[in-house]
Amino acid sequence: MDKMDLWKKAVNLRKQLGEDATSPIDIFSLTFSIPCLSIVYYPMGEHLSGMCIKDGKHSVIAINSSMTLGRQRFSLAHEFYHFFYDKEPFTTVCAKAIGEGKEIEQEADQFASYFLMPPDALSDLIAQKKEKEWKRLLLKDIVSIEQYFQISRQALLHRLVEEQELTMQEADSMRQNVTASAVSLGYQDTLYRPMPKEKQYGTYGYYIQQADRVMELGLISDGKYEELLLEAFRDDLVYGEEREGGEVID
């Protein structure tokens, strides 16, 4: 694995998508700037994190919405590697375990880590934490770092062990009671939770745009348009979505 090349790819893609080289990013919002890409959220069970299908023009990235928000962000970055750098056409199905499997999957995991946690930014943050403590990272530092980059605990620990910032024994002691460790430090638990069940099914991006386009052009009937949306789990666009208290304009 050429980690320097993966680092360069991560930095270049951030710039290509309009981001700087070091700041935390909203990876979900970035997907809407990528042409011809549809994003599907679907609960895939305990063993899969996501998949990517690319046929040359129209592509789909599916994310396991039953996993935590932090892990979904990592999974999406992993699929970005397949989408932008794998040869096409292709279909990839990605397992939950990080840093395991075929070499291409390990490369995608490493890329995802660099994309969400740029090495320079992570190193600077670690140095700041160590200056204030015992020259070792403590649990509160781990929580602070994962909150800053909005990354899952497992992805962060894997990276820190790899870079010898933590021993495996230290990392293992931090894998338990993840949500409680963050809440006890005053953080919200959003990063450590999956999407609400009513939000775990949905399609966004190119598919919805194309459905709207063919409808506007009169190429399909109202009934077919609604059928396309329902097949994409977008009942909200067909039946409307009731919002408690109505829309807030601020």
Side-chain angles (χ1 to χ4, degrees):
M1 183 190 304
D2 188 340
K3 292 184 179 180
M4 182 60 69
D5 179 65
L6 294 170
W7 182 356
K8 290 179 180 178
K9 281 184 169 69
V11 171
N12 289 338
L13 183 59
R14 287 172 68 104
K15 291 180 179 179
Q16 179 182 330
L17 296 175
E19 300 290 332
D20 64 36
T22 59
S23 300
I25 57 176
D26 182 353
I27 190 171
F28 295 119
S29 294
L30 291 181
T31 60
F32 298 111
S33 66
I34 301 173
C36 302
L37 175 63
S38 300
I39 302 295
V40 176
Y41 294 98
Y42 190 89
M44 301 179 189
E46 298 180 358
H47 303 295
L48 298 180
S49 64
M51 65 183 299
C52 183
I53 303 171
K54 190 171 183 181
D55 66 3
K57 288 186 178 180
H58 311 138
S59 303
V60 176
I61 289 178
I63 299 299
N64 186 348
S65 56
S66 65
M67 291 186 173
T68 67
L69 177 62
R71 181 51 202 260
Q72 288 180 45
R73 284 170 48 81
F74 186 86
S75 298
L76 183 52
H78 175 112
E79 301 303 342
F80 271 13
Y81 182 76
H82 292 303
F83 176 78
F84 285 101
Y85 299 110
D86 277 8
K87 295 180 180 179
E88 54 183 340
F90 64 84
T91 298
T92 63
V93 179
C94 303
K96 178 181 178 181
I98 297 174
E100 299 180 8
K102 297 180 180 179
E103 183 176 358
I104 186 66
E105 298 304 323
Q106 295 181 38
E107 290 175 348
D109 281 340
Q110 192 71 48
F111 170 87
S113 185
Y114 288 157
F115 188 77
L116 295 174
M117 296 182 289
D120 288 345
L122 179 59
S123 296
D124 288 346
L125 198 54
I126 290 173
Q128 294 172 21
K129 302 297 182 186
K130 285 184 173 181
E131 282 181 356
K132 299 177 181 178
E133 297 295 345
W134 307 97
K135 306 302 180 183
R136 297 297 297 174
L137 292 173
L138 305 178
L139 178 59
K140 66 184 183 67
D141 300 319
I142 301 304
V143 175
S144 176
I145 293 171
E146 69 196 13
Q147 286 284 332
Y148 180 77
F149 289 112
Q150 290 289 284
I151 194 78
S152 73
R153 176 71 58 86
Q154 298 300 332
L156 176 58
L157 293 178
H158 179 83
R159 173 76 169 274
L160 294 177
V161 169
E162 179 184 66
E163 299 191 0
Q164 299 183 347
E165 295 290 349
L166 290 176
T167 66
M168 184 61 73
Q169 184 177 10
E170 289 172 328
D172 286 343
S173 71
M174 299 175 181
R175 298 185 196 278
Q176 307 300 320
N177 302 314
V178 173
T179 303
S181 66
V183 172
S184 67
L185 290 169
Y187 295 98
Q188 294 183 349
D189 65 358
T190 309
L191 185 65
Y192 313 98
R193 301 291 186 189
M195 291 179 173
K197 288 192 175 182
E198 65 272 15
K199 296 289 187 180
Q200 287 186 12
Y201 298 83
T203 301
Y204 302 86
Y206 186 69
Y207 181 97
I208 303 301
Q209 296 163 9
Q210 289 300 99
D212 286 344
R213 183 170 182 270
V214 295
M215 178 63 183
E216 291 171 358
L217 293 175
L219 300 177
I220 57 174
S221 66
D222 290 351
K224 183 61 177 179
Y225 173 68
E226 291 182 354
E227 179 184 335
L228 290 173
L229 294 179
L230 290 174
E231 288 178 350
F233 313 112
R234 294 306 303 272
D235 306 48
D236 58 317
L237 297 179
V238 177
Y239 303 119
E241 184 178 53
E242 293 185 6
R243 299 181 182 275
E244 185 176 350
E247 184 175 14
V248 176
I249 301 176
D250 54 3

